[in-house]
Amino acid sequence: LSYLPLPDNFSSSLNLAKGKLVGLNTLVREDDVSIEDRPDQVVLTAKVVANNLLLNYQWRNKNIKGNVSTYVESVHFSIKIQDKKIDNGSPTLLDFKIESIVGVQFKLHGLGPLNWVLKMMVVDRLKKVTRNLLMVKTREEIRKVVAMESIVDQLYIHVLQRRISRN
């Protein structure tokens, strides 16, 4: 999937519809990972970053309409994942936070030379919508990825393979 659909967002001043989030596939680990090996579980803590994200919406206010694009240079997240050793269930996302959002730019189209007027009116709302959408959509995607692979299996399978091959 080259983009994720975004939910419609309605208010009295501006309706946003047919949204798309592009670039979430750039999500990568930013720093070292901390792994806490407890008797019953493994807890992994990491910082991740998504670069060059683009959120597109069609906007409408009464009889006028156009497009709005939000470019985000980077979003830095912290995540914490738990995987139980005994239970063969999927790992769980324990904690997920946006640490910072860098380089946000908004572009509105539809009013011609008056685009700047609409931009001044709705930029605060667009900032809130952008932050909330990045939080929700990224959390959903990380939960999907985390649920597909056991951390415990990945950590211990190589150790077991080495022990078996030495015998």
Side-chain angles (χ1 to χ4, degrees):
L1 193 64
S2 59
Y3 70 89
L4 291 174
L6 297 174
D8 293 349
N9 194 300
F10 300 103
S11 77
S12 59
S13 62
L14 190 70
N15 296 332
L16 301 172
K18 297 181 183 175
K20 295 178 184 179
L21 171 60
V22 179
L24 203 53
N25 58 349
T26 66
L27 196 64
V28 293
R29 184 172 44 95
E30 187 174 30
D31 225 350
D32 291 337
V33 173
S34 166
I35 299 174
E36 190 178 340
D37 190 3
R38 299 175 184 166
D40 60 335
Q41 65 187 348
V42 173
V43 178
L44 181 139
T45 306
K47 304 259 186 218
V48 292
V49 62
N51 294 307
N52 303 317
L53 300 176
L54 186 63
L55 292 87
N56 290 311
Y57 266 108
Q58 291 180 5
W59 65 265
R60 180 180 205 91
N61 185 340
K62 299 180 184 172
N63 294 332
I64 54 174
K65 62 183 180 177
N67 296 310
V68 60
S69 297
T70 306
Y71 171 76
V72 181
E73 185 179 319
S74 62
V75 184
H76 301 263
F77 303 95
S78 64
I79 61 172
K80 187 180 271 191
I81 301 166
Q82 167 191 307
D83 196 2
K84 296 188 180 192
K85 291 180 180 179
I86 299 162
D87 179 14
N88 286 335
S90 299
T92 3
L93 185 62
L94 289 179
D95 192 25
F96 180 84
K97 294 181 201 162
I98 292 180
E99 297 288 324
S100 66
I101 300 176
V102 178
V104 180
Q105 299 172 10
F106 299 102
K107 290 188 179 177
L108 281 104
H109 303 281
L111 292 179
L114 296 177
N115 282 331
W116 66 273
V117 175
L118 182 64
K119 187 174 177 181
M120 297 278 294
M121 291 170 44
V122 298
V123 77
D124 284 337
R125 177 152 171 263
L126 289 174
K127 283 180 183 178
K128 288 176 188 172
V129 167
T130 299
R131 183 176 181 82
N132 290 341
L133 288 172
L134 288 173
M135 183 75 162
V136 169
K137 285 299 182 178
T138 307
R139 185 182 322 136
E140 284 175 9
E141 288 305 302
I142 288 177
R143 277 194 176 133
K144 287 179 193 174
V145 170
V146 163
M148 294 188 329
E149 199 73 52
S150 167
I151 298 169
V152 173
D153 289 349
Q154 292 299 315
L155 288 173
Y156 297 110
I157 198 78
H158 299 293
V159 174
L160 290 173
Q161 285 176 341
R162 280 192 212 135
R163 285 187 183 165
I164 291 170
S165 65
R166 289 183 186 163
N167 293 333

